[in-house]
Each structure stands twice: as structure tokens, then as C-alpha cells.
PDB file of all heavy atoms in Angstrom:
ATOM      1  N   LEU A  15      -0.108 -37.395  18.593  1.00  0.00           N
ATOM      2  CA  LEU A  15       1.128 -37.699  17.865  1.00  0.00           C
ATOM      3  C   LEU A  15       0.824 -37.965  16.392  1.00  0.00           C
ATOM      4  O   LEU A  15       1.520 -37.462  15.511  1.00  0.00           O
ATOM      5  CB  LEU A  15       1.840 -38.896  18.496  1.00  0.00           C
ATOM      6  CG  LEU A  15       3.145 -39.324  17.841  1.00  0.00           C
ATOM      7  CD1 LEU A  15       4.157 -38.194  17.876  1.00  0.00           C
ATOM      8  CD2 LEU A  15       3.701 -40.556  18.531  1.00  0.00           C
ATOM      9  N   GLU A  16      -0.217 -38.717  16.123  1.00  0.00           N
ATOM     10  CA  GLU A  16      -0.591 -38.999  14.741  1.00  0.00           C
ATOM     11  C   GLU A  16      -0.981 -37.703  14.026  1.00  0.00           C
ATOM     12  O   GLU A  16      -0.600 -37.478  12.879  1.00  0.00           O
ATOM     13  CB  GLU A  16      -1.745 -40.008  14.689  1.00  0.00           C
ATOM     14  CG  GLU A  16      -2.024 -40.535  13.314  1.00  0.00           C
ATOM     15  CD  GLU A  16      -0.841 -41.237  12.654  1.00  0.00           C
ATOM     16  OE1 GLU A  16      -0.021 -41.861  13.361  1.00  0.00           O
ATOM     17  OE2 GLU A  16      -0.716 -41.135  11.427  1.00  0.00           O
ATOM     18  N   GLY A  17      -1.727 -36.842  14.714  1.00  0.00           N
ATOM     19  CA  GLY A  17      -2.093 -35.547  14.140  1.00  0.00           C
ATOM     20  C   GLY A  17      -0.871 -34.704  13.836  1.00  0.00           C
ATOM     21  O   GLY A  17      -0.791 -34.058  12.786  1.00  0.00           O
ATOM     22  N   ALA A  18       0.096 -34.709  14.741  1.00  0.00           N
ATOM     23  CA  ALA A  18       1.335 -33.956  14.527  1.00  0.00           C
ATOM     24  C   ALA A  18       2.119 -34.511  13.339  1.00  0.00           C
ATOM     25  O   ALA A  18       2.683 -33.756  12.546  1.00  0.00           O
ATOM     26  CB  ALA A  18       2.191 -33.979  15.788  1.00  0.00           C
ATOM     27  N   LYS A  19       2.133 -35.834  13.190  1.00  0.00           N
ATOM     28  CA  LYS A  19       2.826 -36.452  12.047  1.00  0.00           C
ATOM     29  C   LYS A  19       2.172 -36.044  10.729  1.00  0.00           C
ATOM     30  O   LYS A  19       2.858 -35.745   9.756  1.00  0.00           O
ATOM     31  CB  LYS A  19       2.810 -37.976  12.176  1.00  0.00           C
ATOM     32  CG  LYS A  19       3.760 -38.520  13.205  1.00  0.00           C
ATOM     33  CD  LYS A  19       3.651 -40.045  13.256  1.00  0.00           C
ATOM     34  CE  LYS A  19       4.521 -40.647  14.333  1.00  0.00           C
ATOM     35  NZ  LYS A  19       4.351 -42.106  14.411  1.00  0.00           N
ATOM     36  N   ILE A  20       0.858 -36.031  10.707  1.00  0.00           N
ATOM     37  CA  ILE A  20       0.132 -35.628   9.495  1.00  0.00           C
ATOM     38  C   ILE A  20       0.427 -34.172   9.173  1.00  0.00           C
ATOM     39  O   ILE A  20       0.701 -33.817   8.025  1.00  0.00           O
ATOM     40  CB  ILE A  20      -1.385 -35.879   9.661  1.00  0.00           C
ATOM     41  CG1 ILE A  20      -1.665 -37.383   9.692  1.00  0.00           C
ATOM     42  CG2 ILE A  20      -2.181 -35.183   8.570  1.00  0.00           C
ATOM     43  CD1 ILE A  20      -3.064 -37.743  10.123  1.00  0.00           C
ATOM     44  N   GLN A  21       0.395 -33.310  10.190  1.00  0.00           N
ATOM     45  CA  GLN A  21       0.672 -31.887   9.987  1.00  0.00           C
ATOM     46  C   GLN A  21       2.095 -31.689   9.484  1.00  0.00           C
ATOM     47  O   GLN A  21       2.340 -30.909   8.566  1.00  0.00           O
ATOM     48  CB  GLN A  21       0.449 -31.100  11.288  1.00  0.00           C
ATOM     49  CG  GLN A  21       0.505 -29.614  11.110  1.00  0.00           C
ATOM     50  CD  GLN A  21      -0.590 -29.085  10.208  1.00  0.00           C
ATOM     51  OE1 GLN A  21      -1.726 -29.537  10.258  1.00  0.00           O
ATOM     52  NE2 GLN A  21      -0.269 -28.130   9.371  1.00  0.00           N
ATOM     53  N   LEU A  22       3.044 -32.408  10.054  1.00  0.00           N
ATOM     54  CA  LEU A  22       4.432 -32.314   9.614  1.00  0.00           C
ATOM     55  C   LEU A  22       4.558 -32.752   8.157  1.00  0.00           C
ATOM     56  O   LEU A  22       5.232 -32.103   7.359  1.00  0.00           O
ATOM     57  CB  LEU A  22       5.330 -33.175  10.508  1.00  0.00           C
ATOM     58  CG  LEU A  22       6.807 -33.219  10.141  1.00  0.00           C
ATOM     59  CD1 LEU A  22       7.424 -31.829  10.200  1.00  0.00           C
ATOM     60  CD2 LEU A  22       7.555 -34.173  11.064  1.00  0.00           C
ATOM     61  N   SER A  23       3.886 -33.821   7.796  1.00  0.00           N
ATOM     62  CA  SER A  23       3.912 -34.295   6.418  1.00  0.00           C
ATOM     63  C   SER A  23       3.354 -33.239   5.469  1.00  0.00           C
ATOM     64  O   SER A  23       3.901 -33.006   4.389  1.00  0.00           O
ATOM     65  CB  SER A  23       3.108 -35.593   6.306  1.00  0.00           C
ATOM     66  OG  SER A  23       2.989 -35.988   4.970  1.00  0.00           O
ATOM     67  N   ASN A  24       2.267 -32.575   5.882  1.00  0.00           N
ATOM     68  CA  ASN A  24       1.694 -31.513   5.058  1.00  0.00           C
ATOM     69  C   ASN A  24       2.680 -30.361   4.885  1.00  0.00           C
ATOM     70  O   ASN A  24       2.838 -29.827   3.788  1.00  0.00           O
ATOM     71  CB  ASN A  24       0.387 -30.998   5.664  1.00  0.00           C
ATOM     72  CG  ASN A  24      -0.730 -32.010   5.550  1.00  0.00           C
ATOM     73  OD1 ASN A  24      -0.684 -32.913   4.718  1.00  0.00           O
ATOM     74  ND2 ASN A  24      -1.735 -31.869   6.388  1.00  0.00           N
ATOM     75  N   TYR A  25       3.355 -29.966   5.984  1.00  0.00           N
ATOM     76  CA  TYR A  25       4.338 -28.883   5.897  1.00  0.00           C
ATOM     77  C   TYR A  25       5.510 -29.279   4.998  1.00  0.00           C
ATOM     78  O   TYR A  25       6.015 -28.464   4.234  1.00  0.00           O
ATOM     79  CB  TYR A  25       4.870 -28.507   7.280  1.00  0.00           C
ATOM     80  CG  TYR A  25       3.904 -27.706   8.112  1.00  0.00           C
ATOM     81  CD1 TYR A  25       3.730 -27.976   9.455  1.00  0.00           C
ATOM     82  CD2 TYR A  25       3.156 -26.666   7.561  1.00  0.00           C
ATOM     83  CE1 TYR A  25       2.841 -27.238  10.232  1.00  0.00           C
ATOM     84  CE2 TYR A  25       2.264 -25.935   8.326  1.00  0.00           C
ATOM     85  CZ  TYR A  25       2.117 -26.224   9.658  1.00  0.00           C
ATOM     86  OH  TYR A  25       1.246 -25.487  10.419  1.00  0.00           O
ATOM     87  N   GLU A  26       5.929 -30.533   5.081  1.00  0.00           N
ATOM     88  CA  GLU A  26       7.034 -30.990   4.230  1.00  0.00           C
ATOM     89  C   GLU A  26       6.636 -30.949   2.753  1.00  0.00           C
ATOM     90  O   GLU A  26       7.427 -30.557   1.906  1.00  0.00           O
ATOM     91  CB  GLU A  26       7.469 -32.403   4.637  1.00  0.00           C
ATOM     92  CG  GLU A  26       8.231 -32.424   5.942  1.00  0.00           C
ATOM     93  CD  GLU A  26       8.471 -33.822   6.487  1.00  0.00           C
ATOM     94  OE1 GLU A  26       7.761 -34.774   6.091  1.00  0.00           O
ATOM     95  OE2 GLU A  26       9.387 -33.955   7.324  1.00  0.00           O
ATOM     96  N   LYS A  27       5.384 -31.340   2.443  1.00  0.00           N
ATOM     97  CA  LYS A  27       4.900 -31.277   1.066  1.00  0.00           C
ATOM     98  C   LYS A  27       4.869 -29.834   0.576  1.00  0.00           C
ATOM     99  O   LYS A  27       5.272 -29.535  -0.550  1.00  0.00           O
ATOM    100  CB  LYS A  27       3.498 -31.870   0.960  1.00  0.00           C
ATOM    101  CG  LYS A  27       3.446 -33.365   1.043  1.00  0.00           C
ATOM    102  CD  LYS A  27       2.000 -33.845   0.993  1.00  0.00           C
ATOM    103  CE  LYS A  27       1.901 -35.311   1.345  1.00  0.00           C
ATOM    104  NZ  LYS A  27       0.515 -35.749   1.502  1.00  0.00           N
ATOM    105  N   GLU A  28       4.378 -28.918   1.435  1.00  0.00           N
ATOM    106  CA  GLU A  28       4.329 -27.511   1.063  1.00  0.00           C
ATOM    107  C   GLU A  28       5.735 -26.968   0.812  1.00  0.00           C
ATOM    108  O   GLU A  28       5.965 -26.260  -0.163  1.00  0.00           O
ATOM    109  CB  GLU A  28       3.648 -26.686   2.161  1.00  0.00           C
ATOM    110  CG  GLU A  28       2.166 -26.922   2.249  1.00  0.00           C
ATOM    111  CD  GLU A  28       1.515 -26.168   3.397  1.00  0.00           C
ATOM    112  OE1 GLU A  28       2.100 -25.187   3.894  1.00  0.00           O
ATOM    113  OE2 GLU A  28       0.398 -26.560   3.784  1.00  0.00           O
ATOM    114  N   LEU A  29       6.665 -27.316   1.691  1.00  0.00           N
ATOM    115  CA  LEU A  29       8.035 -26.837   1.551  1.00  0.00           C
ATOM    116  C   LEU A  29       8.652 -27.342   0.258  1.00  0.00           C
ATOM    117  O   LEU A  29       9.278 -26.580  -0.489  1.00  0.00           O
ATOM    118  CB  LEU A  29       8.876 -27.278   2.749  1.00  0.00           C
ATOM    119  CG  LEU A  29      10.328 -26.839   2.762  1.00  0.00           C
ATOM    120  CD1 LEU A  29      10.434 -25.318   2.766  1.00  0.00           C
ATOM    121  CD2 LEU A  29      11.049 -27.422   3.953  1.00  0.00           C
ATOM    122  N   LYS A  30       8.457 -28.610  -0.048  1.00  0.00           N
ATOM    123  CA  LYS A  30       8.998 -29.182  -1.278  1.00  0.00           C
ATOM    124  C   LYS A  30       8.412 -28.477  -2.496  1.00  0.00           C
ATOM    125  O   LYS A  30       9.122 -28.141  -3.442  1.00  0.00           O
ATOM    126  CB  LYS A  30       8.690 -30.682  -1.330  1.00  0.00           C
ATOM    127  CG  LYS A  30       9.274 -31.385  -2.536  1.00  0.00           C
ATOM    128  CD  LYS A  30       8.979 -32.869  -2.500  1.00  0.00           C
ATOM    129  CE  LYS A  30       9.532 -33.556  -3.732  1.00  0.00           C
ATOM    130  NZ  LYS A  30       9.190 -34.963  -3.766  1.00  0.00           N
ATOM    131  N   TYR A  31       7.114 -28.226  -2.477  1.00  0.00           N
ATOM    132  CA  TYR A  31       6.461 -27.541  -3.586  1.00  0.00           C
ATOM    133  C   TYR A  31       7.004 -26.114  -3.724  1.00  0.00           C
ATOM    134  O   TYR A  31       7.337 -25.676  -4.820  1.00  0.00           O
ATOM    135  CB  TYR A  31       4.950 -27.523  -3.359  1.00  0.00           C
ATOM    136  CG  TYR A  31       4.166 -26.878  -4.475  1.00  0.00           C
ATOM    137  CD1 TYR A  31       3.901 -27.577  -5.650  1.00  0.00           C
ATOM    138  CD2 TYR A  31       3.684 -25.579  -4.361  1.00  0.00           C
ATOM    139  CE1 TYR A  31       3.181 -27.003  -6.675  1.00  0.00           C
ATOM    140  CE2 TYR A  31       2.953 -24.997  -5.387  1.00  0.00           C
ATOM    141  CZ  TYR A  31       2.709 -25.715  -6.535  1.00  0.00           C
ATOM    142  OH  TYR A  31       1.993 -25.128  -7.554  1.00  0.00           O
ATOM    143  N   LEU A  32       7.097 -25.403  -2.594  1.00  0.00           N
ATOM    144  CA  LEU A  32       7.568 -24.013  -2.625  1.00  0.00           C
ATOM    145  C   LEU A  32       9.017 -23.911  -3.080  1.00  0.00           C
ATOM    146  O   LEU A  32       9.375 -22.986  -3.811  1.00  0.00           O
ATOM    147  CB  LEU A  32       7.414 -23.358  -1.247  1.00  0.00           C
ATOM    148  CG  LEU A  32       5.985 -23.068  -0.801  1.00  0.00           C
ATOM    149  CD1 LEU A  32       5.970 -22.603   0.638  1.00  0.00           C
ATOM    150  CD2 LEU A  32       5.330 -22.044  -1.706  1.00  0.00           C
ATOM    151  N   LYS A  33       9.865 -24.845  -2.660  1.00  0.00           N
ATOM    152  CA  LYS A  33      11.275 -24.806  -3.038  1.00  0.00           C
ATOM    153  C   LYS A  33      11.461 -24.968  -4.537  1.00  0.00           C
ATOM    154  O   LYS A  33      12.409 -24.465  -5.102  1.00  0.00           O
ATOM    155  CB  LYS A  33      12.075 -25.879  -2.298  1.00  0.00           C
ATOM    156  CG  LYS A  33      12.403 -25.505  -0.879  1.00  0.00           C
ATOM    157  CD  LYS A  33      13.272 -26.577  -0.253  1.00  0.00           C
ATOM    158  CE  LYS A  33      13.714 -26.165   1.139  1.00  0.00           C
ATOM    159  NZ  LYS A  33      14.551 -27.190   1.757  1.00  0.00           N
ATOM    160  N   GLY A  34      10.544 -25.664  -5.171  1.00  0.00           N
ATOM    161  CA  GLY A  34      10.666 -25.908  -6.598  1.00  0.00           C
ATOM    162  C   GLY A  34      10.124 -24.780  -7.462  1.00  0.00           C
ATOM    163  O   GLY A  34      10.191 -24.844  -8.678  1.00  0.00           O
ATOM    164  N   LYS A  35       9.608 -23.726  -6.852  1.00  0.00           N
ATOM    165  CA  LYS A  35       8.966 -22.654  -7.612  1.00  0.00           C
ATOM    166  C   LYS A  35       9.509 -21.295  -7.170  1.00  0.00           C
ATOM    167  O   LYS A  35       9.865 -21.100  -6.020  1.00  0.00           O
ATOM    168  CB  LYS A  35       7.454 -22.641  -7.351  1.00  0.00           C
ATOM    169  CG  LYS A  35       6.743 -23.922  -7.639  1.00  0.00           C
ATOM    170  CD  LYS A  35       6.416 -24.043  -9.086  1.00  0.00           C
ATOM    171  CE  LYS A  35       5.591 -25.288  -9.350  1.00  0.00           C
ATOM    172  NZ  LYS A  35       5.222 -25.415 -10.711  1.00  0.00           N
ATOM    173  N   SER A  36       9.537 -20.350  -8.103  1.00  0.00           N
ATOM    174  CA  SER A  36       9.830 -18.968  -7.725  1.00  0.00           C
ATOM    175  C   SER A  36       8.520 -18.334  -7.279  1.00  0.00           C
ATOM    176  O   SER A  36       7.440 -18.853  -7.555  1.00  0.00           O
ATOM    177  CB  SER A  36      10.401 -18.191  -8.916  1.00  0.00           C
ATOM    178  OG  SER A  36       9.381 -17.967  -9.869  1.00  0.00           O
ATOM    179  N   GLN A  37       8.601 -17.197  -6.593  1.00  0.00           N
ATOM    180  CA  GLN A  37       7.382 -16.533  -6.141  1.00  0.00           C
ATOM    181  C   GLN A  37       6.456 -16.220  -7.304  1.00  0.00           C
ATOM    182  O   GLN A  37       5.252 -16.413  -7.216  1.00  0.00           O
ATOM    183  CB  GLN A  37       7.731 -15.244  -5.388  1.00  0.00           C
ATOM    184  CG  GLN A  37       8.219 -15.489  -4.000  1.00  0.00           C
ATOM    185  CD  GLN A  37       8.052 -14.285  -3.106  1.00  0.00           C
ATOM    186  OE1 GLN A  37       7.746 -13.182  -3.545  1.00  0.00           O
ATOM    187  NE2 GLN A  37       8.258 -14.487  -1.830  1.00  0.00           N
ATOM    188  N   ARG A  38       7.016 -15.775  -8.395  1.00  0.00           N
ATOM    189  CA  ARG A  38       6.177 -15.402  -9.535  1.00  0.00           C
ATOM    190  C   ARG A  38       5.485 -16.619 -10.141  1.00  0.00           C
ATOM    191  O   ARG A  38       4.376 -16.523 -10.637  1.00  0.00           O
ATOM    192  CB  ARG A  38       6.992 -14.655 -10.583  1.00  0.00           C
ATOM    193  CG  ARG A  38       7.289 -13.237 -10.141  1.00  0.00           C
ATOM    194  CD  ARG A  38       8.048 -12.486 -11.185  1.00  0.00           C
ATOM    195  NE  ARG A  38       9.271 -12.011 -10.547  1.00  0.00           N
ATOM    196  CZ  ARG A  38      10.333 -11.630 -11.184  1.00  0.00           C
ATOM    197  NH1 ARG A  38      10.387 -11.641 -12.478  1.00  0.00           N
ATOM    198  NH2 ARG A  38      11.382 -11.211 -10.518  1.00  0.00           N
ATOM    199  N   GLU A  39       6.122 -17.771 -10.082  1.00  0.00           N
ATOM    200  CA  GLU A  39       5.498 -18.992 -10.607  1.00  0.00           C
ATOM    201  C   GLU A  39       4.336 -19.459  -9.732  1.00  0.00           C
ATOM    202  O   GLU A  39       3.445 -20.157 -10.204  1.00  0.00           O
ATOM    203  CB  GLU A  39       6.519 -20.128 -10.692  1.00  0.00           C
ATOM    204  CG  GLU A  39       7.558 -19.955 -11.768  1.00  0.00           C
ATOM    205  CD  GLU A  39       8.582 -21.078 -11.726  1.00  0.00           C
ATOM    206  OE1 GLU A  39       9.184 -21.297 -10.649  1.00  0.00           O
ATOM    207  OE2 GLU A  39       8.752 -21.729 -12.756  1.00  0.00           O
ATOM    208  N   LEU A  40       4.352 -19.087  -8.451  1.00  0.00           N
ATOM    209  CA  LEU A  40       3.302 -19.513  -7.529  1.00  0.00           C
ATOM    210  C   LEU A  40       2.018 -18.710  -7.681  1.00  0.00           C
ATOM    211  O   LEU A  40       0.952 -19.143  -7.253  1.00  0.00           O
ATOM    212  CB  LEU A  40       3.791 -19.396  -6.077  1.00  0.00           C
ATOM    213  CG  LEU A  40       4.929 -20.318  -5.682  1.00  0.00           C
ATOM    214  CD1 LEU A  40       5.464 -19.944  -4.310  1.00  0.00           C
ATOM    215  CD2 LEU A  40       4.480 -21.765  -5.699  1.00  0.00           C
ATOM    216  N   ILE A  41       2.099 -17.533  -8.290  1.00  0.00           N
ATOM    217  CA  ILE A  41       0.922 -16.679  -8.423  1.00  0.00           C
ATOM    218  C   ILE A  41       0.032 -17.225  -9.535  1.00  0.00           C
ATOM    219  O   ILE A  41       0.468 -17.396 -10.664  1.00  0.00           O
ATOM    220  CB  ILE A  41       1.326 -15.222  -8.713  1.00  0.00           C
ATOM    221  CG1 ILE A  41       2.153 -14.677  -7.552  1.00  0.00           C
ATOM    222  CG2 ILE A  41       0.084 -14.360  -8.939  1.00  0.00           C
ATOM    223  CD1 ILE A  41       2.806 -13.354  -7.827  1.00  0.00           C
ATOM    224  N   SER A  42      -1.213 -17.499  -9.175  1.00  0.00           N
ATOM    225  CA  SER A  42      -2.144 -18.046 -10.166  1.00  0.00           C
ATOM    226  C   SER A  42      -3.076 -16.981 -10.725  1.00  0.00           C
ATOM    227  O   SER A  42      -3.533 -17.107 -11.859  1.00  0.00           O
ATOM    228  CB  SER A  42      -2.963 -19.189  -9.560  1.00  0.00           C
ATOM    229  OG  SER A  42      -3.749 -18.707  -8.487  1.00  0.00           O
ATOM    230  N   THR A  43      -3.379 -15.940  -9.943  1.00  0.00           N
ATOM    231  CA  THR A  43      -4.334 -14.934 -10.385  1.00  0.00           C
ATOM    232  C   THR A  43      -3.902 -13.550  -9.901  1.00  0.00           C
ATOM    233  O   THR A  43      -3.493 -13.388  -8.750  1.00  0.00           O
ATOM    234  CB  THR A  43      -5.744 -15.235  -9.838  1.00  0.00           C
ATOM    235  OG1 THR A  43      -6.026 -16.627 -10.015  1.00  0.00           O
ATOM    236  CG2 THR A  43      -6.812 -14.440 -10.553  1.00  0.00           C
ATOM    237  N   TYR A  44      -4.022 -12.588 -10.794  1.00  0.00           N
ATOM    238  CA  TYR A  44      -3.658 -11.197 -10.500  1.00  0.00           C
ATOM    239  C   TYR A  44      -4.920 -10.338 -10.557  1.00  0.00           C
ATOM    240  O   TYR A  44      -5.791 -10.560 -11.398  1.00  0.00           O
ATOM    241  CB  TYR A  44      -2.680 -10.671 -11.553  1.00  0.00           C
ATOM    242  CG  TYR A  44      -1.365 -11.403 -11.611  1.00  0.00           C
ATOM    243  CD1 TYR A  44      -1.229 -12.574 -12.351  1.00  0.00           C
ATOM    244  CD2 TYR A  44      -0.254 -10.913 -10.940  1.00  0.00           C
ATOM    245  CE1 TYR A  44      -0.017 -13.242 -12.414  1.00  0.00           C
ATOM    246  CE2 TYR A  44       0.964 -11.566 -11.001  1.00  0.00           C
ATOM    247  CZ  TYR A  44       1.073 -12.740 -11.730  1.00  0.00           C
ATOM    248  OH  TYR A  44       2.275 -13.382 -11.788  1.00  0.00           O
ATOM    249  N   PHE A  45      -4.982  -9.316  -9.658  1.00  0.00           N
ATOM    250  CA  PHE A  45      -6.145  -8.430  -9.612  1.00  0.00           C
ATOM    251  C   PHE A  45      -5.730  -6.976  -9.425  1.00  0.00           C
ATOM    252  O   PHE A  45      -4.703  -6.671  -8.801  1.00  0.00           O
ATOM    253  CB  PHE A  45      -7.051  -8.776  -8.413  1.00  0.00           C
ATOM    254  CG  PHE A  45      -7.706 -10.109  -8.501  1.00  0.00           C
ATOM    255  CD1 PHE A  45      -7.104 -11.220  -7.933  1.00  0.00           C
ATOM    256  CD2 PHE A  45      -8.929 -10.272  -9.125  1.00  0.00           C
ATOM    257  CE1 PHE A  45      -7.707 -12.464  -7.991  1.00  0.00           C
ATOM    258  CE2 PHE A  45      -9.530 -11.512  -9.192  1.00  0.00           C
ATOM    259  CZ  PHE A  45      -8.928 -12.605  -8.626  1.00  0.00           C
ATOM    260  N   TYR A  46      -6.592  -6.100  -9.929  1.00  0.00           N
ATOM    261  CA  TYR A  46      -6.598  -4.690  -9.548  1.00  0.00           C
ATOM    262  C   TYR A  46      -7.813  -4.580  -8.654  1.00  0.00           C
ATOM    263  O   TYR A  46      -8.943  -4.834  -9.089  1.00  0.00           O
ATOM    264  CB  TYR A  46      -6.752  -3.802 -10.795  1.00  0.00           C
ATOM    265  CG  TYR A  46      -6.796  -2.336 -10.477  1.00  0.00           C
ATOM    266  CD1 TYR A  46      -5.622  -1.614 -10.321  1.00  0.00           C
ATOM    267  CD2 TYR A  46      -8.006  -1.674 -10.326  1.00  0.00           C
ATOM    268  CE1 TYR A  46      -5.647  -0.256 -10.032  1.00  0.00           C
ATOM    269  CE2 TYR A  46      -8.052  -0.320 -10.027  1.00  0.00           C
ATOM    270  CZ  TYR A  46      -6.870   0.380  -9.883  1.00  0.00           C
ATOM    271  OH  TYR A  46      -6.897   1.718  -9.585  1.00  0.00           O
ATOM    272  N   TRP A  47      -7.615  -4.251  -7.384  1.00  0.00           N
ATOM    273  CA  TRP A  47      -8.711  -4.261  -6.422  1.00  0.00           C
ATOM    274  C   TRP A  47      -8.563  -3.066  -5.481  1.00  0.00           C
ATOM    275  O   TRP A  47      -7.518  -2.895  -4.849  1.00  0.00           O
ATOM    276  CB  TRP A  47      -8.706  -5.569  -5.629  1.00  0.00           C
ATOM    277  CG  TRP A  47      -9.776  -5.669  -4.595  1.00  0.00           C
ATOM    278  CD1 TRP A  47     -11.108  -5.857  -4.809  1.00  0.00           C
ATOM    279  CD2 TRP A  47      -9.609  -5.597  -3.186  1.00  0.00           C
ATOM    280  NE1 TRP A  47     -11.776  -5.898  -3.610  1.00  0.00           N
ATOM    281  CE2 TRP A  47     -10.868  -5.745  -2.589  1.00  0.00           C
ATOM    282  CE3 TRP A  47      -8.505  -5.407  -2.354  1.00  0.00           C
ATOM    283  CZ2 TRP A  47     -11.074  -5.721  -1.221  1.00  0.00           C
ATOM    284  CZ3 TRP A  47      -8.703  -5.386  -0.988  1.00  0.00           C
ATOM    285  CH2 TRP A  47      -9.975  -5.548  -0.428  1.00  0.00           C
ATOM    286  N   GLU A  48      -9.593  -2.243  -5.414  1.00  0.00           N
ATOM    287  CA  GLU A  48      -9.616  -1.062  -4.540  1.00  0.00           C
ATOM    288  C   GLU A  48      -8.330  -0.241  -4.655  1.00  0.00           C
ATOM    289  O   GLU A  48      -7.676   0.075  -3.666  1.00  0.00           O
ATOM    290  CB  GLU A  48      -9.891  -1.463  -3.094  1.00  0.00           C
ATOM    291  CG  GLU A  48     -11.289  -1.994  -2.894  1.00  0.00           C
ATOM    292  CD  GLU A  48     -11.672  -2.120  -1.432  1.00  0.00           C
ATOM    293  OE1 GLU A  48     -10.876  -1.761  -0.541  1.00  0.00           O
ATOM    294  OE2 GLU A  48     -12.806  -2.571  -1.188  1.00  0.00           O
ATOM    295  N   ARG A  49      -7.942   0.068  -5.880  1.00  0.00           N
ATOM    296  CA  ARG A  49      -6.755   0.872  -6.188  1.00  0.00           C
ATOM    297  C   ARG A  49      -5.462   0.225  -5.675  1.00  0.00           C
ATOM    298  O   ARG A  49      -4.483   0.906  -5.398  1.00  0.00           O
ATOM    299  CB  ARG A  49      -6.909   2.303  -5.651  1.00  0.00           C
ATOM    300  CG  ARG A  49      -8.077   3.051  -6.281  1.00  0.00           C
ATOM    301  CD  ARG A  49      -8.229   4.467  -5.787  1.00  0.00           C
ATOM    302  NE  ARG A  49      -8.320   4.626  -4.358  1.00  0.00           N
ATOM    303  CZ  ARG A  49      -9.445   4.530  -3.649  1.00  0.00           C
ATOM    304  NH1 ARG A  49     -10.578   4.264  -4.241  1.00  0.00           N
ATOM    305  NH2 ARG A  49      -9.439   4.703  -2.355  1.00  0.00           N
ATOM    306  N   SER A  50      -5.483  -1.082  -5.502  1.00  0.00           N
ATOM    307  CA  SER A  50      -4.315  -1.821  -5.023  1.00  0.00           C
ATOM    308  C   SER A  50      -4.091  -3.066  -5.870  1.00  0.00           C
ATOM    309  O   SER A  50      -4.992  -3.525  -6.562  1.00  0.00           O
ATOM    310  CB  SER A  50      -4.505  -2.274  -3.573  1.00  0.00           C
ATOM    311  OG  SER A  50      -4.492  -1.189  -2.697  1.00  0.00           O
ATOM    312  N   ALA A  51      -2.903  -3.595  -5.740  1.00  0.00           N
ATOM    313  CA  ALA A  51      -2.571  -4.875  -6.355  1.00  0.00           C
ATOM    314  C   ALA A  51      -3.019  -5.986  -5.413  1.00  0.00           C
ATOM    315  O   ALA A  51      -2.918  -5.859  -4.189  1.00  0.00           O
ATOM    316  CB  ALA A  51      -1.066  -4.968  -6.581  1.00  0.00           C
ATOM    317  N   ALA A  52      -3.502  -7.073  -5.986  1.00  0.00           N
ATOM    318  CA  ALA A  52      -3.874  -8.246  -5.194  1.00  0.00           C
ATOM    319  C   ALA A  52      -3.529  -9.483  -6.018  1.00  0.00           C
ATOM    320  O   ALA A  52      -3.620  -9.465  -7.243  1.00  0.00           O
ATOM    321  CB  ALA A  52      -5.357  -8.222  -4.860  1.00  0.00           C
ATOM    322  N   VAL A  53      -3.103 -10.530  -5.327  1.00  0.00           N
ATOM    323  CA  VAL A  53      -2.737 -11.767  -6.011  1.00  0.00           C
ATOM    324  C   VAL A  53      -3.228 -12.968  -5.220  1.00  0.00           C
ATOM    325  O   VAL A  53      -3.403 -12.898  -4.006  1.00  0.00           O
ATOM    326  CB  VAL A  53      -1.199 -11.898  -6.209  1.00  0.00           C
ATOM    327  CG1 VAL A  53      -0.682 -10.831  -7.144  1.00  0.00           C
ATOM    328  CG2 VAL A  53      -0.460 -11.875  -4.890  1.00  0.00           C
ATOM    329  N   ILE A  54      -3.436 -14.067  -5.932  1.00  0.00           N
ATOM    330  CA  ILE A  54      -3.704 -15.350  -5.291  1.00  0.00           C
ATOM    331  C   ILE A  54      -2.507 -16.233  -5.585  1.00  0.00           C
ATOM    332  O   ILE A  54      -2.056 -16.339  -6.725  1.00  0.00           O
ATOM    333  CB  ILE A  54      -5.003 -15.984  -5.802  1.00  0.00           C
ATOM    334  CG1 ILE A  54      -6.195 -15.097  -5.397  1.00  0.00           C
ATOM    335  CG2 ILE A  54      -5.176 -17.401  -5.249  1.00  0.00           C
ATOM    336  CD1 ILE A  54      -7.535 -15.580  -5.887  1.00  0.00           C
ATOM    337  N   VAL A  55      -1.982 -16.842  -4.528  1.00  0.00           N
ATOM    338  CA  VAL A  55      -0.769 -17.650  -4.614  1.00  0.00           C
ATOM    339  C   VAL A  55      -1.120 -19.094  -4.295  1.00  0.00           C
ATOM    340  O   VAL A  55      -1.793 -19.374  -3.303  1.00  0.00           O
ATOM    341  CB  VAL A  55       0.278 -17.138  -3.587  1.00  0.00           C
ATOM    342  CG1 VAL A  55       1.510 -17.998  -3.601  1.00  0.00           C
ATOM    343  CG2 VAL A  55       0.621 -15.686  -3.857  1.00  0.00           C
TER     344      VAL A  55
END
């Protein structure tokens, strides 16, 4: 139960962070890799 509470708290923090940002704002690094686009979010 304690583990589940911690996990839920982590998901709530992630959700709050994600809701405050657009997808483009979440991208920290852009790459050209193997003739494809790649990003780190």
C-alpha cells in the first residue's frame, strides 16, 4: 500500500508537470539519427 501511494504520488507529479507544458516545451534535445528524427523529452 505504501509503495502504491508513492507510485501514485509520482504519477500525480508527472501529470501536473505535463499539464503545464506543451509537447514542444517538453523536448530538451533534438537529433538527426540514422536518417530519422529523434528527440529527448
Side-chain angles (χ1 to χ4, degrees):
L15 180 60
E16 190 59 32
K19 285 179 184 177
I20 291 168
Q21 189 63 39
L22 178 60
S23 173
N24 289 339
Y25 285 138
E26 287 170 340
K27 286 177 191 171
E28 289 176 20
L29 181 61
K30 183 178 178 184
Y31 182 79
L32 290 172
K33 281 184 175 180
K35 304 277 185 178
S36 71
Q37 283 202 349
R38 285 182 236 161
E39 289 176 305
L40 294 171
I41 298 170
S42 62
T43 315
Y44 298 84
F45 294 93
Y46 179 85
W47 179 73
E48 292 192 2
R49 298 181 306 274
S50 291
V53 294
I54 295 178
V55 177

